[in-house]
Amino acid sequence: MANVHYVRGAMIEQLEPPAASSGAAGWVRQNLFSSPLNAILSVLSLALVYSVIAALIPWLISPTWQASSLSECREILEGASGACWGVIRERWLQLLFGFYPSELYWRVVLDFLLLIVAVAPVLFTGLPRKMLIFSALYPFLMPWLLWGGTVWGPVVAALGFGLGYLAHKLAKAALGGLAAMILAVLVPVIWWLFLAGPVSEAVASVLPLALEPVESRNFGGFMLSITIGVVAIAISLPIGIVLALGRQSNLFIVRSLSVGFIEFIRGVPLITLLFVASTLLNIFMPPGTDFDIILRVIIMVTLFASAYMAEVVRGGLAALPKGQYEAADALGLDFWLAQRLIIMPQALKISIPGIVSTFIGVFKDTTLVSIIGLLDPIGLSNSIRADQSWNGIVWELYGFIALMFFIFCFSMSRYSMFLERKLRTGHR
């Protein structure tokens, strides 16, 4: 074919993109200097960041790690500006463990290592499913390691769930599903209230297997915050799901109780519930009842988180199209099978950001227990500053506490993003 002057006879070799539009230079030009206004704002922001970093780094790298008091820090600094990190070196174990006996730190460390093992198969589906057996046993192992005492207490408590499951299996065929579910709840409650204590004491008298007991007043620091936070987070999600389903129930009593509980708890500040737990709850207990203060706080924080979790899950249920419910009916599934296989997995996937946000809020709210006298990290910081050697220390303690909370909360946030990407099934 003859060459035509307006048709190219050969392809031009592919060239590299201009340096100003690719790589780091291209990113800077596109994001920081794309217009005169952006350029001015970028320069001002960089100047502000530089001034903050220039003032912060000398303060952070202060050579005061070996100081044993605030006055010694000032002598080392010789009038210069810098942090007094000696307080962290001297009191970091107290900030982590509170007044827990130092010879028993291994129990706390082992407990939280086992916590990682227990939650791993729940958070990551690639692990063997048999590990879920340990995840189910861990809630009974955790309090025994932390508080000590006889091993038969958690064993008898776990037996209550087994009795409830057995009652449900036996009653389902004879009495029907609703009666079986009621018995599955009543049997464990009766067991725990009236029989668990005597049975545990009887077995312990024959076979005394126990750890050295530790009183709750020795709990403190991040150990206390993590204990309250983990228990409240783990229990509030299933309770919140039940409350969300109860709020949508066609049964008037169930719906009214669920709505009343949710609205009452959400309408009351958490600090009010904590004051109720610390002062008023014992008034309603039988005379002579010793109801552990940490257990009371855990119950109130869990109920508070459950009410907010119920609204998050309800939002996920409301976001599902009506066709999903109709599809479950078309397959002939009953209510619970439809919820377990079709409705709830999709609702929880939609609710992941709200669920994790609630978890993070609950974990940060554990610092409120310092107001009722429990020595969480904030409460311990006040005790440390009351020491004459460290009177006047503020930023170092609060900075260390903030860093630890940031690590936990940021980890939960990143896991939430990982889970959202993993469960993303729609078209991109």
Side-chain angles (χ1 to χ4, degrees):
M1 184 179 73
N3 290 335
V4 183
H5 69 280
Y6 55 81
V7 177
R8 185 179 299 279
M11 294 295 294
I12 298 178
E13 292 184 6
Q14 186 174 355
L15 300 177
E16 295 292 334
S21 62
S22 63
W27 183 91
V28 169
R29 182 173 181 178
Q30 180 180 359
N31 293 277
L32 301 181
F33 300 98
S34 58
S35 68
L37 178 60
N38 282 352
I40 295 174
L41 293 177
S42 297
V43 171
L44 293 177
S45 299
L46 290 174
L48 177 62
V49 171
Y50 173 78
S51 63
V52 171
I53 293 178
L56 191 60
I57 287 181
W59 188 83
L60 290 175
I61 61 175
S62 171
T64 55
W65 284 98
Q66 301 303 319
S68 58
S69 66
L70 180 58
S71 59
E72 189 173 340
C73 285
R74 291 170 176 168
E75 292 177 3
I76 295 173
L77 293 172
E78 297 179 348
S81 176
C84 185
W85 295 120
V87 65
I88 304 300
R89 178 193 59 81
E90 184 176 300
R91 299 298 184 96
W92 71 276
L93 284 175
Q94 188 177 2
L95 287 170
L96 293 180
F97 300 101
F99 296 102
Y100 205 85
S102 58
E103 67 275 10
L104 300 179
Y105 282 170
W106 66 269
R107 281 164 46 176
V108 181
V109 174
L110 176 62
D111 189 71
F112 290 115
L113 289 177
L114 294 178
L115 171 63
I116 297 174
V117 177
V119 301
V122 178
L123 300 180
F124 304 101
T125 56
L127 297 175
R129 295 290 90 187
K130 291 183 178 179
M131 292 180 64
L132 290 173
I133 299 176
F134 179 76
S135 301
L137 296 176
Y138 177 77
F140 305 98
L141 181 62
M142 181 195 74
W144 180 60
L145 283 175
L146 291 181
W147 276 273
T150 176
V151 71
W152 301 113
V155 170
V156 170
L159 184 59
F161 287 98
L163 293 175
Y165 175 77
L166 183 61
H168 181 271
K169 294 290 288 185
L170 295 177
K172 188 174 183 180
L175 303 176
L178 181 60
M181 188 171 298
I182 294 174
L183 283 176
V185 175
L186 286 180
V187 169
V189 170
I190 294 173
W191 170 261
W192 292 326
L193 290 178
F194 303 105
L195 300 175
V199 171
S200 175
E201 294 175 0
V203 177
S205 63
V206 178
L207 194 60
L209 297 177
L211 291 175
E212 179 182 345
V214 178
E215 296 182 4
S216 293
R217 60 186 178 86
N218 293 324
F219 283 49
F222 283 98
M223 179 192 72
L224 178 61
S225 294
I226 295 174
T227 300
I228 296 174
V230 167
V231 175
I233 287 171
I235 301 178
S236 65
L237 181 57
I239 296 178
I241 292 174
V242 173
L243 288 172
L245 294 176
R247 184 159 190 164
Q248 294 186 333
S249 174
N250 294 325
L251 299 175
F252 175 77
I253 295 178
V254 174
R255 184 173 66 253
S256 300
L257 290 175
S258 300
V259 171
F261 174 83
I262 292 171
E263 297 302 329
F264 173 76
I265 296 295
R266 293 178 73 236
V268 178
L270 177 58
I271 187 61
T272 303
L273 298 178
L274 294 179
F275 276 122
V276 171
S278 63
T279 58
L280 299 180
L281 201 58
N282 272 348
I283 298 176
F284 301 98
M285 303 299 294
T289 302
D290 185 15
F291 198 5
D292 190 272
I293 179 62
I294 295 180
L295 180 58
R296 284 181 267 161
V297 168
I298 288 175
I299 291 173
M300 286 301 180
V301 175
T302 302
L303 295 178
F304 182 82
S306 299
Y308 282 86
M309 191 65 64
E311 290 298 279
V312 172
V313 175
R314 187 174 69 91
L317 292 171
L320 284 182
K322 188 177 179 181
Q324 298 297 318
Y325 295 89
E326 294 173 347
D329 293 336
L331 291 173
L333 301 178
D334 62 20
F335 175 81
W336 294 110
L337 277 177
Q339 292 293 332
R340 183 167 65 89
L341 299 177
I342 296 179
I343 305 302
M344 197 54 65
Q346 298 182 76
L348 292 179
K349 185 181 76 169
I350 296 172
S351 306
I352 286 174
I355 291 173
V356 176
S357 178
T358 304
F359 286 167
I360 293 174
V362 169
F363 183 64
K364 292 190 295 185
D365 284 344
T366 57
T367 56
L368 292 175
V369 301
S370 61
I371 299 177
I372 60 172
L374 294 181
L375 294 178
D376 75 313
I378 301 297
L380 278 176
S381 69
N382 296 330
S383 300
I384 293 172
R385 288 189 290 111
D387 188 343
Q388 185 176 0
S389 299
W390 303 112
N391 189 9
I393 292 288
V394 177
W395 292 104
E396 294 84 349
L397 289 171
Y398 288 152
F400 177 77
I401 295 170
L403 176 63
M404 296 297 293
F405 271 100
F406 172 78
I407 291 173
F408 285 106
C409 296
F410 183 73
S411 300
M412 286 190 278
S413 176
R414 298 304 298 180
Y415 174 76
S416 168
M417 298 173 64
F418 158 77
L419 196 59
E420 287 183 64
R421 290 193 300 267
K422 181 178 180 180
L423 298 179
R424 186 177 299 158
T425 56
H427 296 290
R428 301 184 188 182

